[in-house]
Amino acid sequence: MKKILIAEDSSTMRSLLVATIESLGGYLVSEAASGFEALRLLPREPVDLIITDINMPDINGLELVSFVRGSENYRHIPLFIISTEGSERDREKGLALGANEYLVKPFDPARLQELIKQYTA
Amino acid sequence: MANSNDTSGRAVEDFLAEAEEIVDRLSTDLGTLGDCADSGECDPDLLNAIFRGAHSLKGLAGMFGFADIQQLSHNLENLLDSLRLGKIPLTNATMNILFDAMELLGSVVRGLGTGENFSSAIADAIQRLNDCATAQESGGESPLQKLGLPEKVLNSLTEYEEHRLLENVKKGRTIYSIHASFNLMSFDQDLGEITEVLKKSGEVVSTLPSASATPESMIDFEILYGTDLALDDVTGLIDRDNVEVTRIGAAASPPSAIAAGVAVAIPATAQASVPTSAPAEVSAPVGQGDDMTAKSMSRTVRVDIGKLDDLMNIVGELVLSHSIISMLATRMRLEGFSSLAIELGKAAKGLDRKLTELQKGVMEIRMIPVGQLFEKMARIVRKVSREQGKKVDLKTFGADTELDKLIIEDIADPMVHIIRNAIDHGLETTEERVAAGKPERGTIRLSSYQKGNHVVIEVSDDGHGFNIEKVKKKALEKGLIKTLEGVSDREALDFIFLPGFSTADKVSELSGRGVGMDVVKNNIAAVSGMVDIESIFGQGSKVIITLPITLAIIKALLVSTAGRTYALPITSVLETIIVTENDIDTVERKEVYQLRQTTLPLVRLERFFGVPRTKPDSAEFYVVVVGVAEKRLGVIVDDLMGQQDIVIKSLGDMFKGYRGITGAADLGDQRTILVLDVGGIIGEAFRSGG
């Protein structure tokens, strides 16, 4: 089973992401409701992919990307940012920091599934 | 729609629940923001939290294909973004646009599925939001490069954080980089403590985590902090081994150095209290940091209230089954199966105890504190007082009194109306208040307390109260009374609940139009509640709402008349009295009883239902005084048979036309009796009685 970590503060949005991922089969999802929780969950078990929102209460998505890419242990994990269309600069920064994909909410489930398969193959 | 398979009913329900939560929180936060908009100095965290709320809602609505909510929240988000990025100033005009848009958003979310069409209102609101957001957009921002921030930090700042950083620089604050290293196991608590302390004397702009170079069990953070404090003072604030404070950027210009020197004097006291206050705040955290802990430690579940209703029905049926068992036990004992009968009786008692606990438990799940309702009302007070240009203080008491969630929902609209009335008609203008020797600011009091099986909610104002003479005159004009003589002040106040009755001199846009107190009364009566008004001319009015704690299983008073048994919901029973034929007077061919200086109209139950008497009327009988809303009626019955818990079952459509009956209930001894609809009986009695 591949493991995917989601950092997203909206519980409904998390359920949608989980549903989309689990319907692929072969994936297990850990859910973090904040950047802090993601930091706490990361060391617990190997993760094959991280999906993060940008606007979160404590640590924002960009900071999470920066953390992951700056860390010896996690820098190779593929990472998607998923956020509502908004600041072009946040998007550019996310990609510059090393996010592999930037998806716009409302996301297209089929597209997300395709990307997940591609990055975790 | 994103994916029709995912958008099942369940998911939509989740969406609605979260969307409603967001809208409620946004409205509350917006109220707080409105309060500080006057002073011009607002907590950037609050504004950012509001922005995030609109942002989440937009994302969610988009996923579920609710295009109108998505559009509205998108435009709301844009305006909020401009505000938080400092592109436009926060003015009262902007606040009004935000309030209106938020209120509309709430209506649209709550109106989902009702088929109501909001499109023109939404188009309007979007137009206003856009006009406001683009009105004063300014040019580019000055670069942050000169601060000399490490690239790693600079690169992970969102546009908003960059703006906050610049704002701090503009204010002449010094920017510090605080490097902290914590154990991976407890970093959130440690970090939370530091940020709480820091926030008291400045702004935490961003928190960038990084993997520690040294042991793997550690995690490092780079906190960007803007403050007027000097380096030593910041270091003093957070006196820890693993924390290092460095100053960022060029040396501060002289004016800000002076500002820093002055500012130190004030936080110095705060600083002294840090060691003692900091640990206390960890156990009862306040502020933004606890969003995260509240979420991860939440031990609550969201339950569909329909499921609780089903559960309550089952409990109700169990209660009935228990009645049957205990009755059988009694019969067995009477018929001589003594030892078995005694054991069965004991078992039935044990069952009864457990059932009571179960019933109480299920009921408690449905209970929520009225504080949630009060919060909504606080927003109404802010909004209406703003619209009216009146200064109003809201005081709430007993916010932790608990009430059935459905009842709370059902009385929200009537409460809004009562509060609008209180501000609009009740409170005088500032000038009038000053002239009358009253404080400039009016006061609205919302209080709630439990009284037996009831919860009482009171809304009072210290306005001018009702002019009873004017009320009476109006009643005369409208032909409600034929003469002013003999109409007591108490009775006069009851006229206010009649349809179309308004004492307002001019019809105000707020509360004079359309719905009146009669609608308020009906809505409250629909949840078996009662409403009363008290008023002292010149000093203010009080609206008193009495509500049953819950609706699911009700206590009823069983009464019998002409050989039949009926149930009267105890929530509408005020008192019972024994009377004889001699006590009954007749006014205009209607029977009445003089009850403590008021004239109580009477109804003989058997005549109301047209049940023939087999035996002559007894000389002595009972009058059950019942009330719904402000109306009182005496129901004449032969006998009182005690109280019992009953579960009301609907009689179905065939019996819809029958007035005075609300349903049926099983008594457990195979008997089914009718449950009386007190509101219906009163309505009928007053209609025929005039």
Side-chain angles (χ1 to χ4, degrees), chain A residues 37-88:
Chain A
E37 258 188 47
L39 290 185
R40 235 178 310 153
L41 288 175
L42 260 177
R44 297 222 180 131
E45 50 198 337
V47 169
D48 299 290
L49 174 71
I50 299 169
I51 300 177
T52 181
D53 185 16
I54 286 197
N55 284 287
M56 288 187 291
D58 41 40
I59 288 171
N60 73 49
L62 297 182
E63 286 160 346
L64 188 64
V65 180
S66 161
F67 171 79
V68 170
R69 288 293 172 255
S71 125
E72 202 55 50
N73 294 333
Y74 314 123
R75 71 164 48 125
H76 308 293
I77 304 176
L79 196 152
F80 302 168
I81 291 179
I82 186 157
S83 184
T84 31
E85 44 119 352
S87 165
E88 211 28 48

Side-chain angles (χ1 to χ4, degrees), chain B residues 308 311-312 315 354-367:
Chain B
L308 290 180
L311 206 56
M312 202 59 164
V315 175
K354 289 289 159 208
L355 274 178
T356 311
E357 279 173 31
L358 180 61
Q359 188 181 335
K360 201 168 150 249
V362 177
M363 219 170 78
E364 273 169 7
I365 301 174
R366 304 168 58 103
M367 307 289 268

Side-chain angles (χ1 to χ4, degrees), chain A residues 10 12 37 84 87 89 93, chain B residues 18 55 157 159 162 188 296:
Chain A
S10 156
T12 312
E37 258 188 47
T84 31
S87 165
R89 278 160 72 182
K93 274 188 166 180
Chain B
E18 186 167 352
H55 173 84
L157 294 179
E159 195 179 354
E162 283 181 10
D188 42 356
S296 54

Side-chain angles (χ1 to χ4, degrees), chain A residues 28 88-90 97:
Chain A
L28 272 177
E88 211 28 48
R89 278 160 72 182
D90 288 349
L97 281 170

Side-chain angles (χ1 to χ4, degrees), chain B residues 473-492:
Chain B
K473 253 175 45 201
K474 207 97 178 188
L476 195 66
E477 267 171 41
K478 291 195 178 274
L480 299 168
I481 43 172
K482 293 183 182 74
T483 164
L484 285 180
E485 253 170 79
V487 179
S488 70
D489 289 359
R490 170 74 261 161
E491 284 165 323

Side-chain angles (χ1 to χ4, degrees), chain B residues 36 84 185 201 226 232 414 421 632 687:
Chain B
C36 65
R84 72 178 189 143
M185 300 309 291
S201 327
D232 286 351
N421 262 335
R632 307 279 179 271
R687 197 192 323 279

